[in-house]
Amino acid sequence: MIILGIESSCDETAAAIVENGTKILSNVVASSIEIHKKYGGIIPEQAAREQLKFIIPVIQEAIKQAFHLSIYPSTHLSIDAISVTIGPGLIGSLLIGLETAKTLSFAWKKPIIPVNHLIAHIYANFLHYPCLAGRQASSINFPALCLIVSGGHTELVLMKNPSQFQWIAGTRDDAAGECFDKCSRLLGLGYPGGPAIEKAAKKITLSTISNQQLAIKLPRPMINEDNFDFSFSGLKTAVLNLTKKNRPSYILNHKSLIAYEIQEAITDVLVVKTLKAAKKLKVKSILIGGGVAANQRLRDKFLFAIQQLINAPIKLFIPEKKFCTDNAATIASTAFYNYQPVSWQKLKPNPSLTIN
Ligand code: KG4
Ligand code: ZN
């Protein structure tokens, strides 16, 4: 089955064509991030206008690439269904992708499958990409614990089989990605904060940290609590207090070190709490997804933690970095494994969609 995926929940406009949930025939992403960088964050109205500009060219390009065409075809018979993000996300952005998908469903007489963007982040692990040829969906053992770490969400979800989910825990306040973004802003490192903090932190190696610098220590919120919840607003407040208590020149001179410690704190909490839940729930695999999963330090720490589990091994799956951030291949894959077409007349965006 060949599915066209459409994603427009935030600042990326994406279309992809995926065969049988795993084989990517095309994957096209246009981003308006350069515009938002100027303002230090996403302006919803601006994001929606950019979605409108990109949506048709991006879908056309995905179709051309998938079927090796030099010009846009007049028929689309080889596409079996259309899948589209219905939430969560920005209402203006969501509407552009959803209304386009509904129009195509009507015009092409193809079924349409609504997709939860959060769940789609997990299906990035089901995509078969050439550089990880051996790792296909079939090698994921269930039950699996999924950690979704994006700009607005930090959730632990139990995946009982390829299409059955149960929400376990989440953040009580800020998401991990939000914490990266807010802390980056406090340090004047720009938007998006995750990649900016990761880049600044790379300048630090443990051998270059002096004792005095080690005095910069940030909290690891809820790391030792006997539950699976997260909380990141206290960490952001600790960084705010640090910037208020110290002279601007001190902050400027220690920017990389503070960025390093922020990254250490966030990644420590994510790894420790996910592993705690994985052991308690006796899962066979851990799947990670969402923009923060592109963080190399997080990837390394998860790999190290998994390698320590000698007596009760758990398989670890982390998508290739370009499939951690928003794209439409994950939308098409999700639709394949959760094939529930809905009449286009019934589809409405849901900006605050959750996982039940
Ligand atoms: O999944 P995503 O692309 O969009 C949402 O669904 O929100 O995630 C965006 C989030 C942002 O908060 C961004 O700062 C974070 O992912 N992010 C990263 C990295 N790349 C993106 N966080 C840490 N390290 C990265 N390399
Ligand atoms: Zn996302």
Side-chain angles (χ1 to χ4, degrees):
M1 172 174 283
I2 295 184
I3 300 184
L4 165 67
I6 297 175
E7 154 64 37
S8 75
S9 62
C10 191
D11 56 340
E12 265 92 26
T13 315
I17 298 186
V18 178
E19 191 174 354
N20 294 336
T22 57
K23 188 176 173 199
I24 300 170
L25 305 184
S26 66
N27 182 40
V28 179
V29 183
S31 174
S32 57
I33 208 155
E34 289 305 318
I35 295 173
H36 306 299
K37 271 183 185 171
K38 282 188 234 156
Y39 304 102
I42 292 181
I43 299 172
E45 165 77 17
Q46 188 79 41
R49 283 171 191 267
E50 294 301 304
Q51 292 285 358
L52 203 51
K53 210 188 283 175
F54 288 129
I55 191 81
I56 299 292
V58 162
I59 293 171
Q60 281 183 321
E61 189 56 31
I63 291 173
K64 281 200 307 193
Q65 284 184 20
F67 303 113
H68 310 289
L69 304 165
S70 52
I71 53 158
Y72 188 69
S74 53
T75 55
H76 315 280
L77 294 178
S78 25
I79 292 172
D80 299 303
I82 297 158
S83 57
V84 61
T85 302
I86 54 155
L90 303 170
I91 182 71
S93 291
L94 285 168
L95 270 169
I96 310 292
L98 183 56
E99 292 306 313
T100 307
K102 284 160 72 174
T103 308
L104 291 178
S105 165
F106 170 74
W108 296 348
K109 299 186 177 52
K110 301 287 179 192
I112 183 166
I113 301 110
V115 169
N116 181 330
H117 177 93
L118 298 176
I119 298 285
H121 272 307
I122 291 307
Y123 283 91
N125 292 289
F126 285 61
L127 296 169
H128 174 66
Y129 14 94
C131 70
L132 290 171
R135 284 179 46 176
Q136 296 178 42
S138 57
S139 62
I140 298 174
N141 293 340
F142 297 93
L145 182 67
C146 310
L147 171 69
I148 303 164
V149 266
S150 65
H153 292 265
T154 301
E155 319 280 351
L156 281 173
V157 178
L158 185 66
M159 193 177 196
K160 295 176 181 169
N161 60 49
S163 54
Q164 204 189 348
F165 291 89
Q166 182 193 338
W167 185 84
I168 300 293
T171 181
R172 293 185 182 175
D173 39 59
D174 291 355
E178 192 177 356
C179 186
F180 269 118
D181 293 337
K182 287 178 175 171
C183 291
S184 176
R185 196 178 193 150
L186 289 171
L187 294 180
L189 286 171
Y191 180 85
I197 288 194
E198 181 170 18
K199 191 171 166 208
K202 273 209 183 102
K203 294 183 188 142
I204 302 293
T205 55
L206 278 178
S207 58
T208 62
I209 299 179
S210 70
N211 281 345
Q212 189 215 346
Q213 287 171 325
L214 274 176
I216 298 178
K217 198 77 190 149
L218 292 167
R220 270 78 173 149
M222 299 184 76
I223 198 164
N224 293 320
E225 285 191 22
D226 196 18
N227 55 47
F228 307 139
D229 291 347
F230 300 93
S231 162
F232 290 104
S233 71
L235 178 54
K236 168 204 64 195
T237 308
V239 175
L240 176 68
N241 290 341
L242 194 73
T243 59
K244 277 187 180 162
K245 271 192 214 142
N246 293 283
R247 284 197 304 274
S249 61
Y250 176 88
I251 299 297
L252 198 65
N253 291 336
H254 293 81
K255 240 183 210 184
S256 294
L257 192 76
I258 302 169
Y260 175 86
E261 178 61 6
I262 292 166
Q263 183 174 258
E264 288 305 297
I266 295 174
T267 52
D268 277 352
V269 174
L270 291 175
V271 173
V272 167
K273 298 222 79 170
T274 304
L275 263 287
K276 193 184 275 184
K279 284 181 204 163
K280 183 89 189 266
L281 296 165
K282 296 191 171 56
V283 298
K284 294 185 176 146
S285 309
I286 291 178
L287 316 186
I288 307 179
V292 178
N295 185 278
Q296 192 56 47
R297 187 74 175 130
L298 182 69
R299 299 164 84 94
D300 292 345
K301 279 188 185 175
F302 260 114
L303 195 60
F304 181 77
I306 287 289
Q307 284 164 352
Q308 309 308 304
L309 304 174
I310 297 157
N311 294 332
I314 298 176
K315 281 188 181 178
L316 175 69
F317 293 84
I318 312 179
E320 193 183 338
K321 289 186 183 179
K322 71 173 174 195
F323 294 115
C324 291
T325 47
D326 291 349
N327 66 85
T330 59
I331 305 301
S333 178
T334 309
F336 176 81
Y337 287 100
N338 301 270
Y339 193 80
Q340 285 164 16
V342 174
S343 156
W344 65 263
Q345 288 98 329
K346 291 196 178 141
L347 284 181
K348 281 195 286 221
N350 184 349
S352 46
L353 189 63
T354 54
I355 300 168
N356 296 316

